[in-house]
Amino acid sequence: MELRPLGSTGIMVSPLGLGTVKLGRNQQVKYPQAFELPSDNAVRELLALARELGINLLDTAPAYGSSQQRLGQMLGAQRKDWVIVSKVGEIFEHGESRFDFSYEHTVATVEQTLKTLKTDYVDCVLIHSDGNDLAILDNQGAASALIDLKQRGLIRAHGMSSKTVEGGLRVVRDMDVVMATCNVDYNDELPVLQAAAEQHKGVLIKKGLMSGHVQGEDGVRQSFAHVFAQPGVSSMIVGTINPDHLRSNVRLLQQVLEGAA
Ligand code: NAP
């Protein structure tokens, strides 16, 4: 797949990214079907397949159960072949989420992420919003901690996985990358994508397949066509642990992008 710029960060990403929630967490998730976490072999094969298909972007978070730990164990020398996006702010423990957007917690989380992923840098770290985007950006230390972490060379880019238009617009103004929701049933955040395109900021799309509620190949194709018709999209992050879905997602997205070219 042809790589695209992640806004003005200098980072190049594949238009399809691999979401890794399902590698590490199967509690308190909103997917249509319950699932077992994949075996180590299955994860290794999924990552190898993703690379072979031209995907270079992995989206993870400390709140995704053992996702980071498993990636850290498996990436090894291949780490530099990947662009890794991680998060700060959400803590998932004993089956429940809580949030901490303080400066200290943000720094400690990124330092721990580096250890868990066995790397010395993370390409992009996003604040994992609990829905109160503006209050987090205005009143908490997370955003300034990310700037300091960038200056220390521990992260290359920063942003927020936001949930509101006002928050998304602020992220576009002040940060490098916004992760926003867009799918055939939900277009409220389109003004954020428009602003990001105008200001050359990176845009990652989450929940583009409605967290697995799309139906069949036509539904997936339509979803890709819808998302990639919007301005400024760098990459759509799709979570899957099914190699057949991964293959067909790449094929369908290629068709959509070639049709649009
Ligand atoms: P999604 O990508 O819209 O949907 C993922 C679901 O779609 C999985 O259950 C997957 O099941 C299914 N799927 C994938 N390809 C399919 C296909 N070809 N046919 C049928 N089903 C298919 O939504 P998401 O997982 O909620 O979000 C994507 C990623 O964005 C996550 O993995 C995560 O990295 C990130 N995210 C971030 C936040 C945040 O607040 N920061 C929130 C949500 C998500 P199979 O495993 O069976 O393929």
Side-chain angles (χ1 to χ4, degrees), residues 19 22 31 59 64 161 209-212 237-241 245 249:
K22 291 178 89 173
Y31 300 112
D59 180 70
Y64 296 168
S161 174
L209 299 185
M210 297 193 288
S211 300
I237 308 291
V238 174
T240 184
I241 48 174
H245 284 168
N249 291 347

Side-chain angles (χ1 to χ4, degrees), residues 215-228:
Q215 300 291 326
E217 285 212 349
D218 281 349
V220 173
R221 189 186 290 105
Q222 257 178 359
S223 301
F224 284 137
H226 179 74
V227 165
F228 284 91

Side-chain angles (χ1 to χ4, degrees), residues 100-170:
D100 185 336
F101 300 107
S102 65
Y103 185 99
E104 295 72 22
H105 182 75
T106 303
V107 171
T109 302
V110 172
E111 288 174 348
Q112 182 57 50
T113 288
L114 293 171
K115 283 190 197 139
T116 309
L117 288 172
K118 301 186 202 287
T119 183
D120 52 8
Y121 70 99
V122 182
D123 297 274
C124 179
V125 174
L126 307 175
I127 301 171
H128 214 150
S129 175
D130 61 359
N132 299 301
D133 301 346
L134 283 184
I136 297 165
L137 294 170
D138 285 341
N139 308 327
Q140 306 271 349
S144 52
L146 292 183
I147 291 170
D148 290 351
L149 288 160
K150 247 167 64 165
Q151 274 162 3
R152 287 170 61 194
L154 300 184
I155 71 177
R156 293 172 69 191
H158 77 315
M160 180 183 240
S161 174
S162 52
K163 297 200 174 177
T164 65
V165 173
E166 305 71 39
L169 291 174
R170 180 74 69 81

